[in-house]
Amino acid sequence: MAVRRSEKYFKFLIYLVVIVLLNVAGQTLFFRWDLTGNKIYSLSETSREVVATLREPLTIKVFFTNNLPAPHNNTERYLRDLLEEYALNANRNFNFTFFDVSPQEGNIGLQAGANQRMADDYGINPVQIQVIEEDEVKFKRAYMGLVIIHGDVVERIPTITTTDGLEYKLTTAIQKLNNKTSALLNLNENIKVRLYLSSSLDKVAQYMGLDTLPSFARRLEEIIVPLNQQVYGKLDYAHIDPSTDAQGAEAARTANIMQVNWPDIPQANIAAGNGMIGLTMTFGEKRITTPLLSVFRLPIVGTQYQMTPVEDMENIINENIEALVDINAKIGYLVSHGTHLLSAGAPTGGPAQSPLGTFMTLLSDSYSIKRIDLKEDPIPASLKVLIIARPTELFTDYDLFQIDQALMRGTRLVLFLDAVGDSTPPGQPVFRQQPQFGPIETGLEKLLASYGVKIRPSIVLDENCFRQRLGGDMGGGDRPIYFAPIIQSANINADEPYLKNIRGLIALKMSPLELDEARLKATGVQATRLFSSSPQSWEMSERITLDPMAIGEPPPAEDQQRFHLAYLLKGSFPSYFTGQPVPEKPAPAEAPGDDAAESDIPPDNAASEAEAPDLNAIESAPARRDRGEPSQILLVGSSDLIQDTILEAGGRSPNSMFVMNVIDYLNDRLGVAEMRSKEQRFNPLEETDMATRTMTKAFNVIGIPLLVVVFGLVVWLRRAARKKRIQAMFTS
């Protein structure tokens, strides 16, 4: 009897130990089974990679009031679970701590008070939330924020009131702090910096107006030595003289370095020759070629040469480093040729306000925006993406050549173009109600046509559109705004990973796009449709108006069709200027009094000018390409898609996600795009036809009750049969 009792105690102790060990394992081992369709409760691959590659300690301090009412308590629980999953996938440099900022029984304890002061020092202030206690609505102050500390840099998320986009906010904030240091320390090879500068150019430098050229190599090395220390010795610099190094000359030609040829110059006893000048930076398979010499062929004035100032080389090299190793990616925005303003205030100081405020806010959260003015400077060679939004002025051939050659170098183009615009003549009376619309021709049309895509000067109207509610003074109800199509899920290309969770869009004043299939086939460029209108669409190309009352009724079904509104083109594009001479840069406008100044030149100066060699005799082969590196073009048939009337400031609407996801994809940040859109909550029902709706109603009204009756009859019959079998057994 005693033995059995001891066995029971022994088994009880074993079970108790097992239970304790299971609880300990449950506290230290983190496991989650995510059954949601978009895996919204699982850490994305990009987030895992960010925290797994930390090279310096990063600490997250969370200040969250305890025992908050729903839904804020769920937000705290989600944040805690999310940080625990970060920690499981991170290395030892990732740490997080929750600080108690809650009062104790109505009084703030010493520890809670110190934590509140710490939160205030970090810029985390309490917010007022609404709670219901004892059947009364009350307001309560609560801390709901965190700070991320990396070295001496602090990033704040002062208010966390929802779980929407929380992983995206955390990951992008960590990336901002970890970008340059960790990226450079993780490089498994150095960045090769090669200056190709022929010593033979020293002979003709003074006659080309390039007095700084002979000392350029020495001064550049003086800049690179301290710069290399700042980037942890990751630069491998060398000066190559193609005049004496045959292998270096071949490498320069492969990198498309500019070559300068000159004839005999008897005045200076210089024989005909050539030289090369340019800078390349290479990391892995990526290479950026930076031209150091600009050639301008100006009418009347003649050929002029301009050397890149050596003082600018540190910034250029830094920009190239960031582009090569994906640090602080820069996006170019064209600010010339009548494009939308970037900020409030017109360039001349007028009252105009930018309609792209929301777009620029969303963009600046992830990128540095670089203003590109083609009338002043060329497009930087390190630029990965260039945005052109609604240009209205004509591009010269020289401007188009700059855009074309940027595409040839691998720069991706994002084009939000308006094919039609307000063409109301200047001086039109202000009482005119509706503007006149006409085609906008900028010259970009011929570039796009050579690449295989066209934009038609018309506006797409769609029966599936936004409906405007009318006030009582207008009879109530609603009316369709046909030029504001609602792009349904079936008309969005979900095969593209950055679009698969976007279920709908709202467009505005879209122009249809048309592919030149023969041209695309000949060049090997691939075109991917991103979204289209519904099949109940038609085109307005004559007497365009945006007055809903003047548009009229939709045409018959046989005159309606689907129009494609956005395309992504990929491949090695052919240059529009193949077989053509390099366009001349337009001459600057002459300042008043120039003629008088020229007439005052002393005779001695005039004689010395006559003896100077003719610079037009010096030939240069600019770094032009007739076939480009692999690149991409995003073309959307309206600039309204990125205006404040369409985008949402928080970045959670389908339109905001579409724009940012495509830009992220073009910047090789597909993981960020997928992470942003995986929590997309907009999931409308698919449109069905009348027959399907009728069948569904009939099934709900008649079918389900009928199934219940049939099921009841089956059960009753089975019971009756069982009863008869039992009676038969006992009767026999």
Side-chain angles (χ1 to χ4, degrees):
M1 191 73 177
V3 175
R4 290 183 179 179
R5 185 176 301 172
S6 62
E7 288 180 355
K8 290 181 179 178
Y9 289 147
F10 184 69
K11 289 181 179 179
F12 174 77
L13 289 175
I14 291 177
Y15 294 154
L16 183 62
V17 170
V18 170
I19 292 173
V20 171
L21 291 176
L22 287 175
N23 278 275
V24 172
Q27 292 292 326
T28 57
L29 298 177
F30 182 83
F31 176 75
R32 175 186 290 164
W33 192 8
D34 192 348
L35 299 178
T36 58
N38 297 333
K39 303 297 180 184
I40 62 175
Y41 294 106
S42 298
L43 213 58
S44 67
E45 188 61 34
T46 300
S47 299
R48 295 191 185 99
E49 183 179 349
V50 166
V51 295
T53 57
L54 290 171
R55 297 298 299 269
E56 292 185 356
L58 183 142
T59 301
I60 297 180
K61 296 183 178 182
V62 184
F63 302 94
F64 227 100
T65 302
N66 294 331
N67 302 319
L68 291 176
H72 304 295
N73 56 348
N74 294 329
T75 302
E76 181 192 6
R77 181 71 259 174
Y78 175 82
L79 176 60
R80 191 181 294 272
D81 291 344
L82 184 62
L83 292 176
E84 288 177 356
E85 192 165 358
Y86 272 112
L88 285 176
N89 291 276
N91 56 27
R92 59 186 177 85
N93 289 316
F94 180 86
N95 301 280
F96 73 92
T97 305
F98 276 76
F99 288 87
D100 180 19
V101 290
S102 305
Q104 302 288 336
E105 298 180 357
N107 298 317
I108 300 179
L110 293 177
Q111 188 61 50
N115 292 339
Q116 287 187 9
R117 288 190 293 273
M118 184 194 306
D120 294 338
D121 291 340
Y122 281 123
I124 306 298
N125 299 314
V127 296
Q128 198 172 53
I129 61 173
Q130 180 177 300
V131 299
I132 299 178
E133 294 180 356
E134 300 177 353
D135 298 330
E136 293 183 5
V137 177
K138 299 180 180 179
F139 292 95
K140 183 177 182 180
R141 296 171 71 249
Y143 286 87
M144 295 184 293
L146 60 82
V147 294
I148 308 173
I149 305 170
H150 190 254
D152 295 330
V153 183
V154 177
E155 185 75 19
R156 302 171 184 81
I157 303 181
T159 306
I160 304 174
T161 57
T162 177
T163 62
D164 289 348
L166 187 53
E167 181 193 350
Y168 173 77
K169 292 178 182 177
L170 278 173
T171 299
T172 52
I174 294 172
Q175 277 183 319
K176 287 181 180 179
L177 299 177
N178 188 43
N179 50 14
K180 193 165 188 175
T181 300
S182 296
L184 289 172
L185 291 175
N186 281 325
L187 295 184
N188 53 13
E189 59 180 289
N190 288 347
I191 300 172
K192 297 178 181 178
V193 184
R194 298 292 181 263
L195 171 64
Y196 295 95
L197 180 57
S198 301
S199 56
S200 57
L201 286 171
D202 294 347
K203 304 175 185 178
V204 295
Q206 58 178 320
Y207 301 106
M208 300 170 66
L210 305 176
D211 296 334
T212 61
L213 191 145
S215 62
F216 187 87
R218 175 182 55 81
R219 297 178 63 192
L220 179 62
E221 186 172 4
E222 293 174 354
I223 290 175
I224 288 183
V225 170
L227 179 61
N228 196 22
Q229 296 176 356
Q230 297 175 19
V231 296
Y232 309 103
K234 294 299 182 179
L235 298 181
D236 177 11
Y237 170 73
H239 171 210
I240 298 175
D241 184 355
S243 299
T244 59
D245 186 345
Q247 188 175 359
E250 182 60 30
R253 281 188 285 270
T254 303
N256 208 30
I257 296 297
M258 173 183 284
Q259 178 171 316
V260 180
N261 304 309
W262 60 87
D264 292 331
I265 305 178
Q267 304 95 316
N269 196 25
I270 296 177
N274 62 72
M276 306 182 80
I277 179 172
L279 181 80
T280 66
M281 295 182 63
T282 307
F283 177 72
E285 298 181 354
K286 297 180 180 179
R287 180 175 63 196
I288 297 176
T289 300
T290 303
L292 301 177
L293 184 63
S294 301
V295 184
F296 305 105
R297 294 183 175 87
L298 304 177
I300 304 175
V301 178
T303 303
Q304 299 290 314
Y305 292 89
Q306 183 177 347
M307 191 79 179
T308 299
V310 71
E311 296 81 8
D312 296 344
M313 291 306 299
E314 183 174 354
N315 289 334
I316 292 174
I317 292 173
N318 267 321
E319 290 180 358
N320 290 349
I321 291 173
E322 294 174 359
L324 287 171
V325 296
D326 297 325
I327 301 172
N328 293 332
K330 286 184 173 59
I331 285 188
Y333 181 87
L334 188 69
V335 296
S336 58
H337 296 83
T339 57
H340 280 308
L341 301 176
L342 279 180
S343 57
T348 56
Q353 187 173 5
S354 170
L356 305 184
T358 301
F359 175 62
M360 289 303 159
T361 299
L362 295 173
L363 204 60
S364 59
D365 285 342
S366 303
Y367 300 97
S368 298
I369 303 173
K370 184 176 181 62
R371 296 167 179 259
I372 305 296
D373 188 345
L374 283 182
K375 298 180 180 180
E376 300 293 336
D377 301 303
I379 300 173
S382 61
L383 196 65
K384 181 175 286 187
V385 173
L386 174 63
I387 299 175
I388 303 178
R390 197 219 59 173
T392 55
E393 299 175 6
L394 189 66
F395 289 81
T396 65
D397 283 347
Y398 183 80
D399 298 332
L400 295 177
F401 180 75
Q402 301 300 316
I403 297 174
D404 177 88
Q405 289 301 294
L407 181 66
M408 298 302 107
R409 292 193 299 265
T411 299
R412 290 86 185 266
L413 300 181
V414 178
L415 308 177
F416 296 96
L417 303 184
D418 289 348
V420 296
D422 186 359
S423 61
T424 304
Q428 186 72 242
V430 295
F431 56 80
R432 182 179 176 85
Q433 294 296 318
Q434 291 295 328
Q436 300 176 11
F437 287 88
I440 297 178
E441 296 182 359
T442 62
L444 286 175
E445 300 81 17
K446 55 187 180 183
L447 274 189
L448 293 174
S450 72
Y451 303 148
V453 63
K454 300 177 182 177
I455 179 170
R456 294 211 295 263
S458 60
I459 291 181
V460 172
L461 307 179
D462 196 335
E463 287 193 54
N464 295 284
C465 61
F466 173 78
R467 304 189 74 87
Q468 178 187 21
R469 290 193 175 185
L470 302 178
D473 56 338
M474 301 182 66
D478 58 27
R479 66 180 176 187
I481 307 299
Y482 293 122
F483 54 84
I486 294 179
I487 311 299
Q488 299 169 339
S489 177
N491 297 318
I492 299 175
N493 187 357
D495 294 335
E496 295 298 306
Y498 50 90
L499 299 181
K500 65 181 180 181
N501 293 329
I502 297 178
R503 309 298 183 186
L505 297 170
I506 296 179
L508 186 64
K509 295 186 291 186
M510 303 293 295
S511 295
L513 307 181
E514 182 180 354
L515 296 180
D516 186 343
E517 299 289 353
R519 180 65 176 166
L520 293 173
K521 184 176 181 181
T523 59
V525 173
Q526 297 180 349
T528 302
R529 176 193 64 85
L530 300 187
F531 64 84
S532 308
S533 65
S534 77
Q536 291 78 43
S537 303
W538 68 102
E539 197 173 3
M540 179 170 54
S541 56
E542 297 181 0
R543 301 184 63 181
I544 296 175
T545 179
L546 299 182
D547 183 1
M549 301 297 293
I551 291 178
E553 295 297 322
E558 57 268 18
D559 294 332
Q560 297 178 348
Q561 61 174 323
R562 176 183 282 111
F563 293 95
H564 302 317
L565 307 177
Y567 272 109
L568 185 67
L569 277 62
K570 308 177 187 178
S572 298
F573 295 87
S575 173
Y576 170 75
F577 292 90
T578 301
Q580 303 180 39
V582 176
E584 294 183 348
K585 184 177 182 179
E590 293 185 0
D594 284 350
D595 294 338
E598 291 179 2
S599 63
D600 293 336
I601 297 177
D604 292 342
N605 290 349
S608 62
E609 291 289 338
E611 295 174 359
D614 183 10
L615 294 182
N616 291 302
I618 301 178
E619 297 180 356
S620 59
R624 63 173 292 175
R625 300 170 184 260
D626 290 336
R627 188 77 180 188
E629 298 289 334
S631 188
Q632 302 180 55
I633 299 176
L634 169 67
L635 177 59
V636 180
S638 174
S639 68
D640 286 80
L641 201 67
I642 58 173
Q643 294 191 27
D644 294 346
T645 53
I646 296 292
L647 296 186
E648 178 260 335
R652 309 307 304 167
S653 71
N655 278 65
S656 299
M657 287 191 177
F658 167 80
V659 172
M660 292 306 302
N661 282 5
V662 176
I663 291 177
D664 280 337
Y665 171 74
L666 292 175
N667 277 278
D668 299 325
R669 300 175 64 187
L670 179 59
V672 175
E674 292 178 332
M675 177 176 60
R676 179 190 293 108
S677 61
K678 76 176 186 178
E679 296 182 19
Q680 175 59 253
R681 306 299 175 94
F682 179 70
N683 195 13
L685 296 175
E686 295 184 3
E687 290 290 330
T688 56
D689 55 24
M690 182 59 69
T692 303
R693 292 197 291 269
T694 302
M695 291 291 295
T696 303
K697 291 179 182 178
F699 178 77
N700 288 332
V701 174
I702 302 175
I704 293 179
L706 186 61
L707 286 176
V708 173
V709 172
V710 172
F711 179 77
L713 288 174
V714 170
V715 172
W716 179 76
L717 291 174
R718 291 190 62 184
R719 287 181 177 178
R722 182 171 177 272
K723 184 177 180 180
K724 289 181 179 180
R725 286 198 304 272
I726 294 174
Q727 288 178 347
M729 289 173 57
F730 285 99
T731 300
S732 62

